[in-house]
């Protein structure tokens, strides 16, 4: 596959979903053939599972499974990178330098509207440049299965990318569905990029009590009550399932190269996706 990058820099600014801290990022074209790399406080951190951070994005999550994906070192942590990585993977961009503008060593990518659409639209409008070198996709030789109770991620050999996510919530207010993506950039733009992060009303109430989301209201984020979204409207009947697929694509981008495999996730979250990315890398050796 040909390596690709941005035609020109793009800047985004906003606040973090969990930290409520301001942050700006600039996506720069990269011709170093080093993949996707973050730069913060003069340190460069690759968007790779080997750089996965275990630092919780908020103290309230210290004893919980991760609520987002982050990378870092002993000195810095860059959290909630999954939507941006999903956008870059969805558009087939293999190389970019992401410069972080934050005074905090532990920072969070701007949440924007909770989806990947602002990244995707800006990149598409800006243009994508094909580089003069190629990149070899990651393939797998043996089936990988990650399980946790009734949640699972199964990864099987395939010559092409194939992602599927099955959402199965017990709460009737969430529309359960199975959604798929076959690696096509235009399909990602039209159908997946606009799907926003979501939570149920009781989850939002609990997080408010823990001091989270005080900078947001129900028109800023997708909060779903028994009667449907509060002060909001679904962008797609299957927006919740599509967002889970968006997250899965972003999390598995941590393998560091295009992934050609058949991936089917059922009821999984970030922690299992991180385990799956590690298993894929371990199979390469």
């Amino acid at each position: 596959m040909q390596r690709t990058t941005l035609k020109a820099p793009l800047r985004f600014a906003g606040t973090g979903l969990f930290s409520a801290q301001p942050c700006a990022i600039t996506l720069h074209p990269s011709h170093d053939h080093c993949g996707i790399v973050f730069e913060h406080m003069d340190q460069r951190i690759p968007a790779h599972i080997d750089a996965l951070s275990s630092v919780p994005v908020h103290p309230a999550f210290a004893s919980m499974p991760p609520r987002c994906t982050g990378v870092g070192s002993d000195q810095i942590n860059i959290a909630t990178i999954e939507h941006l990585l999903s956008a870059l993977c969805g558009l087939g961009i293999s190389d970019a330098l992401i410069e972080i503008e934050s005074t905090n060593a532990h920072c969070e990518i701007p949440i924007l509207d909770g989806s990947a659409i602002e990244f995707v639209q800006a990149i598409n409008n800006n243009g994508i440049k094909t580089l003069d070198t190629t990149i070899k996709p990651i393939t797998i030789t043996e089936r990988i299965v990650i399980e946790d109770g009734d949640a699972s991620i199964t990864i099987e050999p395939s010559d092409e990318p194939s992602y599927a996510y099955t959402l199965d919530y017990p709460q009737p207010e969430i529309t359960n569905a199975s959604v798929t993506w076959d690696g096509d950039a235009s399909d990602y733009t039209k159908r997946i990029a606009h799907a926003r992060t979501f939570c149920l009303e009781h989850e939002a109430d609990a997080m408010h009590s823990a001091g989270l989301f005080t900078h947001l209201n129900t028109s800023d984020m997708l909060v779903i009550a028994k009667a449907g979204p509060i002060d909001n409207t679904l962008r797609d009947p299957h927006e919740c399932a599509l967002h889970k697929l968006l997250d899965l694509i972003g999390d598995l981008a941590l393998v560091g190269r295009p992934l050609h495999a058949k991936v089917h996730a059922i009821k999984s979250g970030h922690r299992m996706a991180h385990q799956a990315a590690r298993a894929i890398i371990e199979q390469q050796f």
Side-chain angles (χ1 to χ4, degrees):
M1 297 176 63
Q2 290 296 128
R3 301 188 85 111
T4 60
T5 191
L6 304 158
K7 280 191 175 179
L10 288 168
R11 189 175 186 273
F12 303 87
T15 57
L17 174 63
F18 300 105
S19 66
Q21 296 299 311
C23 181
I25 62 172
T26 301
L27 277 57
H28 294 278
S30 175
H31 301 84
D32 295 338
H33 311 141
C34 293
I36 308 299
V37 178
F38 292 91
E39 183 176 79
H40 183 37
M41 294 185 168
D42 297 323
Q43 290 193 46
R44 290 195 172 187
I45 307 293
H48 195 276
I49 192 65
D50 288 345
L52 185 72
S53 174
S54 60
V55 177
V57 67
H58 188 279
F61 300 138
S63 59
M64 301 181 188
R67 298 301 295 257
C68 64
T69 294
V71 292
S73 66
D74 291 339
Q75 295 80 34
I76 64 171
N77 180 57
I78 306 161
T80 318
I81 63 175
E82 61 270 20
H83 300 170
L84 176 56
L85 292 185
S86 184
L88 295 171
C89 179
L91 297 181
I93 294 175
S94 62
D95 295 82
L97 176 65
I98 303 164
E99 179 186 6
I100 310 293
E101 301 172 39
S102 173
T103 58
N104 298 316
H106 296 271
C107 63
E108 189 178 7
I109 297 295
I111 192 61
L112 303 179
D113 76 343
S115 76
I117 193 64
E118 291 188 46
F119 297 129
V120 166
Q121 288 177 338
I123 293 169
N124 281 333
N125 291 336
N126 181 61
I128 297 171
K129 180 180 179 180
T130 300
L131 300 176
D132 58 2
T133 56
T134 59
I135 185 169
K136 184 179 180 181
I138 286 181
T139 59
I140 67 167
T141 56
E142 296 181 9
R143 188 170 183 256
I144 296 170
V145 180
I146 309 295
E147 293 180 309
D148 184 4
D150 59 354
S152 66
I153 299 178
T154 304
I155 305 166
E156 299 178 283
S158 173
D159 294 331
E160 300 292 338
S162 171
Y163 293 74
Y165 191 95
T166 298
L167 184 70
D168 185 9
Y169 266 54
Q171 293 86 354
E173 55 265 43
I174 297 289
T175 300
N176 292 324
S178 291
V179 291
T180 61
W181 180 60
D182 64 2
D184 181 74
S186 61
D187 181 49
Y188 182 92
T189 298
K190 294 175 183 177
R191 196 171 52 87
I192 299 170
H194 66 268
R196 295 162 294 176
T197 191
F198 66 94
C199 67
L200 295 167
E201 184 178 23
H202 74 270
E203 293 173 323
D205 290 342
M207 290 189 183
H208 264 289
S209 298
L212 288 150
F213 301 160
T214 56
H215 60 304
L216 300 170
N217 57 48
T218 48
S219 62
D220 297 320
M221 59 186 298
L222 190 57
V223 179
I224 301 176
K226 290 183 178 180
I230 303 173
D231 301 325
N232 226 312
T233 304
L234 289 174
R235 295 174 175 175
D236 185 283
H238 300 316
E239 184 171 3
C240 296
L242 287 167
H243 185 78
K244 288 289 192 177
L245 177 62
L246 183 156
D247 277 349
L248 177 69
I249 294 166
D251 286 341
L252 292 185
L254 290 176
V255 298
R257 301 205 314 267
L259 175 63
H260 283 189
K262 182 179 179 181
V263 181
H264 185 195
I266 301 173
K267 301 176 67 173
S268 63
H270 295 296
R271 182 175 60 83
M272 291 183 67
H274 301 159
Q275 293 174 336
R278 286 196 190 281
I280 291 168
I281 293 301
E282 287 171 0
Q283 199 181 95
Q284 307 305 303
F285 299 98

